[in-house]
Amino acid sequence: MAPKSNKAPKSKKGGTVSEKKKKLSKIERLKQQQEEEEKRMQEEEEARLKAEQEAAERFERQQIEKRKWEALVEKDLQRRTDELEELYLLEKCFPEAEKWRKEVRVLSKWDHYIECYGTPDPSVAPEMNTFISLWKEKRNEDINAVMKESKLVLNLIEKLELILLDTPPHELTDEQVAQYQGSILELRELLHFKFNEATETLLKEASSLGDTDSGNMETIIKDENITLYIWANLKKNPKYKKIKFGDTQVGFEIPKALATSDIAFRIFHTNYDHFSPLPVIQRPEKPTTIETIIEDSAEKETPKEEAVPEAGAEEATENRELVTSSVTTTEIRTEEASVNFTKSTTSLKEEAEAKKEETETKPLKPESISVGPMATLPEKSIPDAITEAVIDEDVVDLRGFTPLGGIYHLNILQLPPQCKQVKGWTIVELISGGLQAFMYPPDIADDVSETENPYPPIEVMIEINKNVVFFEKPMVARWDSEGKGWRTDGFVSLYYNMKERIVSFSVESVYPITLIQDNHIHMPYESWELRPLCLNEAVLNITTTFTDIDIQIKDNQCMLAAVELGDDYELSHLLGKWMTITSLIIAMKQTGFNIFPSEYSHVYVAVNNKDPLVEMKAYRQMALLASAFSFSWSKWNKQSGPEKVVFKASELLQKEYVEDNEWSLYMFNGERAQKLKINELSEAFSEELEDDTEFHSTLYHMIKDFTSEDALQKIRHSNYLFIDAVCKLLLSTRVLTYS
């Protein structure tokens, strides 16, 4: 039987069921598409209405914020005059401190005169000339007498250097600067001559001081300023070529040509550096700078009928006086455009004339103790100046590097005729010319074989004193007497053992040798914090890549309170010693703790470039609050741009440290201060104001809004010398730029 066919059933109208379903599905799709289109149009309309509503709400919020901001601006303008006037009165402590220092300088000269110590006043040329002449006339002094006199000479040099660094530029004439620098150079030269003369006297007696084993003289003479290692080759035995002095690691190994010659070998280590050039003392601009600023500002003066904040002009004029000798022409012009001079022409000129008679507060001098861009810069760009100054790559750039640990004078000397005892008389042959150097290597003849050097290098081993700190392996440099600079070439081999503090090297000839460290090894700083301890006492902590440094300030003095190091150092000359800021900076640099930028430091260090006048204003107002408030580094300072500074601040009275959650962020541009809504953990930088806060014309009044009565009492009772010392230390370290 044939199979049944599977045909689709037909509808009454003749179509199959599947065809009917297919037709229905097309209708449904069209209907569905229509519904979707209607829904989309409805959603778009709702989105449009929502966007319009949000825009309207946003506009309303913006209008509210704008009105709120305008109200804050208006409120700030209303109290600006009073705030600037109060700040002007508070900042009178800085000229008062300079006036006090001037009186101290005058009084010290008078005290020196009436006490009649018998030592010359280094600032009086006739006294210095007499002292130098009298010491020159003394001949054949022994080493002990010279060492005793050297302490006085080094003290005179130190006093002259402090006079040049500590005295405001406008109080020194060009003649005085030349006189003081000339006296320093004369004393340096005379001191070295006297040590050479004493060495000659000692070598004449070498035969009586010979060692019982070798027969040669070997001696060490030491005090707090110098160490003299002398070896005299009396027996000329080639067996004794390698010498080590006593229990020290200092010594040398000489070739046979020297071991059989009448020579003496001297390693004369001085803790001071009398080779490197004297720092350049910047001279102040003529006072016409201030008059020019005043005249320029008078042309743009506000009409007399307008209300003008009188103290604002006073503050601006004083700020310019304080940095006349240090702010560059460009910076003055910038400030001229940004700071409002709002006093009448007559009162401005009267104020300038009156202030010319007042003393100025100056940053520490450039080259040795400078505050970077605040110092007067050369007319050419800094990189060009440095490139021109250091063309030879072997020449040490003293702007970027510095000798540390003193100078090691290496000398091969001709052994003078020895003293002889004859019938109770001491007879010695006198040779004109004094101490004579032994030429090594001598002029080599042309027929000498190139394959064999008869005058091999001399190996020298030196020991690094424990009173200096090298945080990295130092460079070894030699003095180039022709080029008047330090060079790193001329060394055949170098070996460092920093654990044992030994450096050895080989040289073909002998020179003065020194160890060189990077000036900016501690920059930029990783963090910093200025923390009050009690009334008129605070501590500045600076954390660097290698160490953690605490500088304590008390009244007008500072000291290195703590530093993170091992036990292998002897820093008793520095740790816990109260001294002036200038003296502390010099001592810290000489020890290896250079956290004081120079005017060229921004060329060598990646810094947060900040407007120097904004920076200076911030430091001055921080100093006013330093007895009761702690200030610290913020990562947002780098994001705020060159015209603004950002830092953390918090009142600190009872506790030792500020907790992380107690800090507040403040931003200051020199003309306006505000508390920020963000904190250190925020994801992005924002200048939005903290809720329910205002802004002020000064940083001092901004922070004062969040100050307790107890803190206000401490601030009001702060000593003007303490405030000035804090400001000078902040200016010297420049923590807002170099961290």
Side-chain angles (χ1 to χ4, degrees), residues 528-530 532 621-622 625 628-634 646-652 658-667 674-676 680 699 702-704 706-707:
W528 63 271
E529 182 178 349
L530 177 65
Q621 295 178 48
M622 283 181 187
L625 299 159
F629 269 81
S630 185
F631 298 91
S632 184
W633 166 89
S634 170
V646 176
F647 50 85
K648 296 184 292 187
S650 177
E651 184 179 302
L652 185 63
V658 178
E659 300 294 337
D660 290 342
N661 60 350
E662 294 175 342
W663 290 108
S664 298
L665 279 176
Y666 292 87
M667 185 173 71
Q674 63 191 69
K675 187 177 182 181
L676 299 180
E680 287 296 298
L699 177 63
M702 182 72 249
I703 295 179
K704 191 177 173 184
F706 308 96
T707 306

Side-chain angles (χ1 to χ4, degrees), residues 28-42:
E28 287 174 356
R29 280 199 304 273
L30 290 173
K31 184 178 180 181
Q32 184 178 1
Q33 290 176 359
Q34 185 177 2
E35 289 175 352
E36 288 175 354
E37 182 66 19
E38 291 175 355
K39 184 178 180 181
R40 184 183 63 80
M41 293 178 65
Q42 183 179 359

